[in-house]
Amino acid sequence: MLQELTIDNLAIINHLNLTFDDQMTVLTGETGAGKSIIIDAVGLLAGSRGSTDFIRQGAGKLTLQGQFTVPKNEDYLALLDEYGIDHEDGVLIISREIHQNGRNIIRVNGTLINTTTLRKLGAGLVDIQGQNEHQLLLQPEHHLGMLDQFAGAPIQPILKKYQATFHEYQQLSSAIEKKKENEQQWAQRLDMLRYQVDEIEGANLKPDEEEQLETERDRLEHFQQINNALNMVVASLNGEEGAPVLDQVAEMKTSVEDISDFDPAFKDLAKGLGDAYYSLQDAAESASRVLDSLEFDPARLDQIENRLTLIGDLEHKYGDRLPDVLAYYDQIKKELEEMEQVANDDSDQEERLAETVTELKQLGKQLTELRKQAAQKLENQVHQQLRELYMERAVFAVHFVESAGDRFRADGLDEVEFYMQTNPGERMGALAKIASGGELSRVMLALKTIFAKNEGVTSIIFDEVDTGVSGRVAQAIADKIKVIAQSSQVLCISHLPQVAAVAQHHFLIQKQVKNNRTTTSVTPLDESKRINEIARMLAGEKITKLTREHAKELLSMEQAN
């Protein structure tokens, strides 16, 4: 519901601040006073196209602000959450600025949004009848959703099941189609992965193998140098060539120990010589053990060289060092397993897709049957409404176009559009293509009377939809708008006294010229002033006692109802 509207510098409106209530508010006044400009302001807040032409002459920008109650609709709340718009207090404050330089600034509860987003949000807040941009009933793409809303609870479980199945169908179809499109690349990738996994796996690599092989290769390549060095150590320490170094160190150690009582320094020297003796003894034993095990094996050296060459080739292909090669192996082995699993699942996917198609057809046929039943009821109700609007010869029909083959839609197998024949002998045509005028207005009202409760729009605006009608038709239109106002807030611009009389609230729109500038003012009318305004609508400029009595009677009759 629109609670408050502030307008600054829009066309001939300098500044207006209006407060609206629920049920029905009528806006009346002379032609050109600015009534439609107020509706334009609401339309701009609902996402209609803005232009610098709207800006009041001499102003740098126009500013609009509207306060709306948040619709109690899960889908609408989800939309607000999607755009990060806070709505905890149940109020939406929409502001819009259009500057002379073309800048267009839109905020909803302080969050900046663009016009496309505003249009999505506005569609759930305001429905402006009289401006094609907002007339959902004239947009065939909305007709199926309206029919489903009219069908109500019976259709919802099947529709949700169909939509879930359709989502699965899309995923399966996409996966299979993608694989078929890339069949050759996919097969080449699979073959390459198998080759690489087999090559690395066949090498039977170990993480620290390369360093161990390099150490062993160095020992074999320098066998003679190692052998000579160790023989020299053993010979020198054990005395195989000349006096044994160990014996000499032992003698030195004994001599110093004999004098160690004469000075503490000698004790330290004796200890150092003892440590040196035992260290050299260990070195001699270690060198001897290595010499005993030392063996030159040319065949083993060839094996090591070949193995290191193999490792080097793998490193050149798959990584800088051996751990990199092994990490790459783990990665491609996992990818290969996944691809082979997909290959094994291909038949399962095709089978599941066929099952999904069958299920979609069954659910789609159920939806079509329920929709056709609802369509029959809707047609009957529309005809009843049209009879009450004195269009008893008009024919309304819900036109179905079923999808051929396996062309599934997100909401079923059906394409639905409302058709109309306004007069006998004329052809049945799409509602969107019916000529505008009094007949179209009545068709809109008939449909609005039925759909108002289901559409979830919090505010419905009728912008002179009663043009071109009078007499009993005018009264019938007034009655219909009154019924709609029981379900949704209604703002109505009208020149019909019958329509003005049924409203709970009445604003008079007037135009004045001050300081050579035209401005618009809005005055809420009490009962006495409403009588005067309705009398003016009945009689024109000259208001007589009789027209006042007629206006008073008309107002009293509607209030009594």
Side-chain angles (χ1 to χ4, degrees):
M1 185 181 98
L2 175 61
Q3 297 175 320
E4 190 170 331
L5 176 66
T6 301
I7 304 172
D8 287 298
N9 298 321
L10 175 61
I12 62 173
I13 297 177
N14 180 28
H15 173 78
L16 277 180
N17 185 263
L18 304 175
T19 300
F20 296 95
D21 292 301
D22 58 1
Q23 295 185 295
M24 180 178 173
T25 298
V26 68
L27 286 71
T28 65
E30 297 289 350
T31 300
K35 300 184 296 298
S36 291
I37 298 174
I38 296 172
I39 304 306
D40 288 339
V42 179
L44 287 168
L45 289 175
S48 63
R49 293 180 181 87
S51 168
T52 55
D53 294 337
F54 284 108
I55 303 175
R56 180 173 169 84
Q57 187 175 356
K61 67 177 181 178
L62 73 84
T63 304
L64 305 170
Q65 182 169 288
Q67 180 172 307
F68 298 82
T69 54
V70 177
K72 296 178 180 179
N73 179 295
E74 290 184 5
D75 292 337
Y76 195 88
L77 297 180
L79 188 65
L80 293 175
D81 292 336
E82 179 184 345
Y83 293 114
I85 297 170
D86 177 57
H87 54 83
E88 287 188 3
D89 60 358
V91 172
L92 290 182
I93 297 178
I94 302 175
S95 65
R96 185 170 183 178
E97 296 178 1
I98 299 177
H99 294 248
Q100 285 287 7
N101 61 8
R103 287 181 64 204
N104 186 17
I105 302 172
I106 305 169
R107 289 183 175 87
V108 179
N109 285 356
T111 300
L112 277 170
I113 61 171
N114 58 29
T115 308
T116 301
T117 302
L118 179 61
R119 192 172 295 118
K120 291 179 181 179
L121 297 176
L125 294 173
V126 177
D127 184 8
I128 303 179
Q129 297 296 312
Q131 297 183 12
N132 289 344
E133 186 177 357
H134 289 277
Q135 288 191 38
L136 299 181
L137 288 171
L138 292 183
Q139 299 173 23
E141 62 269 23
H142 294 289
H143 291 177
L144 181 62
M146 291 179 179
L147 180 61
D148 286 347
Q149 286 180 332
F150 177 78
I155 204 172
Q156 294 306 315
I158 299 173
L159 180 58
K160 287 182 179 179
K161 189 174 181 181
Y162 175 93
Q163 290 171 334
T165 306
F166 178 76
H167 180 67
E168 183 180 1
Y169 164 80
Q170 285 184 308
Q171 288 183 318
L172 287 168
S173 298
S174 177
I176 292 171
E177 187 64 28
K178 186 177 180 181
K179 183 181 178 301
K180 287 180 179 178
E181 290 175 357
N182 301 293
E183 192 76 44
Q184 184 177 1
Q185 294 180 1
W186 194 86
Q188 290 173 347
R189 178 67 177 171
L190 186 62
D191 288 341
M192 184 186 71
L193 290 176
R194 283 172 175 163
Y195 171 80
Q196 292 180 348
V197 167
D198 289 343
E199 183 178 31
I200 299 174
E201 206 169 66
N204 195 26
L205 301 173
K206 297 178 179 59
D208 57 353
E209 179 181 8
E210 189 174 18
E211 293 180 0
Q212 293 176 355
L213 289 173
E214 288 173 345
T215 300
E216 187 176 358
R217 179 193 62 188
D218 290 343
R219 290 179 63 179
L220 287 172
E221 286 181 342
H222 301 87
F223 173 81
Q224 192 59 51
Q225 182 181 352
I226 294 170
N227 186 69
N228 291 341
L230 292 176
N231 271 314
M232 182 193 70
V233 170
V234 171
S236 298
L237 291 177
N238 292 329
E240 294 179 5
E241 297 180 4
V245 172
L246 280 174
D247 289 350
Q248 294 179 43
V249 174
E251 289 178 4
M252 288 186 284
K253 170 178 170 293
T254 302
S255 298
V256 174
E257 285 176 345
D258 290 341
I259 63 172
S260 60
D261 291 337
F262 304 135
D263 194 319
F266 298 155
K267 286 186 179 182
D268 293 338
L269 180 58
K271 184 178 182 305
L273 289 170
D275 292 341
Y277 174 79
Y278 293 120
S279 294
L280 290 170
Q281 190 177 48
D282 290 341
E285 292 176 356
S286 177
S288 296
R289 284 196 301 273
V290 174
L291 276 172
D292 291 341
S293 64
L294 199 61
E295 180 182 0
F296 179 69
D297 186 351
R300 175 59 181 161
L301 181 58
D302 289 341
Q303 290 177 353
I304 292 172
E305 291 289 0
N306 292 336
R307 183 68 175 169
L308 287 172
T309 298
L310 172 62
I311 292 172
D313 290 342
L314 294 176
E315 289 174 339
H316 180 72
K317 291 180 181 179
Y318 307 122
D320 293 335
R321 299 294 295 169
L322 191 53
D324 301 324
V325 176
L326 292 171
Y328 179 74
Y329 168 76
D330 291 337
Q331 174 188 329
I332 62 173
K333 191 172 190 304
K334 181 179 179 181
E335 183 181 353
L336 177 61
E337 290 172 352
E338 291 175 351
M339 291 185 70
E340 288 177 335
Q341 181 64 40
V342 169
N344 294 333
D345 288 346
D346 277 352
S347 59
D348 293 340
Q349 280 188 321
E350 295 284 357
E351 183 179 344
R352 179 57 191 148
L353 181 62
E355 292 173 356
T356 303
V357 168
T358 300
E359 189 174 0
L360 280 176
K361 288 181 178 178
Q362 292 173 347
L363 291 169
K365 287 179 180 178
Q366 292 180 51
L367 285 174
T368 299
E369 183 61 31
L370 288 171
R371 283 166 174 162
K372 286 184 175 179
Q373 294 174 13
Q376 183 64 51
K377 294 178 182 178
L378 177 60
E379 289 170 359
N380 293 337
Q381 290 190 25
V382 171
H383 289 148
Q384 175 61 36
Q385 294 293 329
L386 291 176
R387 282 193 294 271
E388 295 174 5
L389 287 165
Y390 303 102
M391 291 182 67
E392 57 275 353
R393 293 187 177 185
V395 178
F396 173 84
V398 180
H399 182 69
F400 281 79
V401 179
E402 295 186 18
S403 299
D406 291 345
R407 289 185 59 198
F408 301 109
R409 300 175 182 274
D411 294 319
L413 307 178
D414 312 305
E415 181 180 354
V416 166
E417 186 171 1
F418 297 156
Y419 272 50
M420 195 77 196
Q421 180 190 50
T422 55
N423 294 294
E426 296 180 358
R427 68 179 182 86
M428 180 79 73
L431 182 63
K433 297 179 181 178
I434 293 179
S436 61
E439 289 178 333
L440 181 57
S441 297
R442 282 182 278 171
V443 173
M444 292 295 101
L445 279 172
L447 291 168
K448 273 294 169 189
T449 303
I450 297 168
F451 282 122
K453 292 183 179 180
N454 295 322
E455 286 178 343
V457 178
T458 60
S459 297
I460 300 174
I461 297 175
F462 293 107
D463 187 1
E464 299 190 10
V465 296
D466 50 21
T467 300
V469 298
S470 60
R472 61 177 187 171
V473 175
Q475 186 59 54
I477 287 177
D479 292 340
K480 291 303 172 191
I481 296 177
K482 184 177 181 180
V483 170
I484 294 170
Q486 293 173 3
S487 302
S488 299
Q489 179 193 48
V490 170
L491 307 182
C492 182
I493 292 178
S494 180
H495 293 285
L496 293 178
Q498 294 92 332
V499 173
V502 301
Q504 284 77 26
H505 317 286
H506 194 152
F507 288 160
L508 175 61
I509 316 299
Q510 294 173 301
K511 181 172 62 176
Q512 299 93 21
V513 177
K514 295 180 180 179
N515 300 323
N516 294 321
R517 292 300 304 271
T518 302
T519 59
T520 293
S521 65
V522 179
T523 305
L525 302 183
D526 57 22
E527 185 173 352
S528 175
K529 291 179 180 179
R530 285 192 71 184
I531 292 172
N532 288 336
E533 174 60 10
I534 293 173
R536 183 197 64 78
M537 297 173 74
L538 285 166
E541 290 186 9
K542 189 175 181 179
I543 301 176
T544 66
K545 181 179 179 181
L546 184 60
T547 55
R548 280 183 54 82
E549 289 297 327
H550 186 188
K552 186 175 181 180
E553 180 183 15
L554 187 62
L555 191 59
S556 298
M557 288 174 58
E558 293 300 337
Q559 290 177 346
N561 292 332

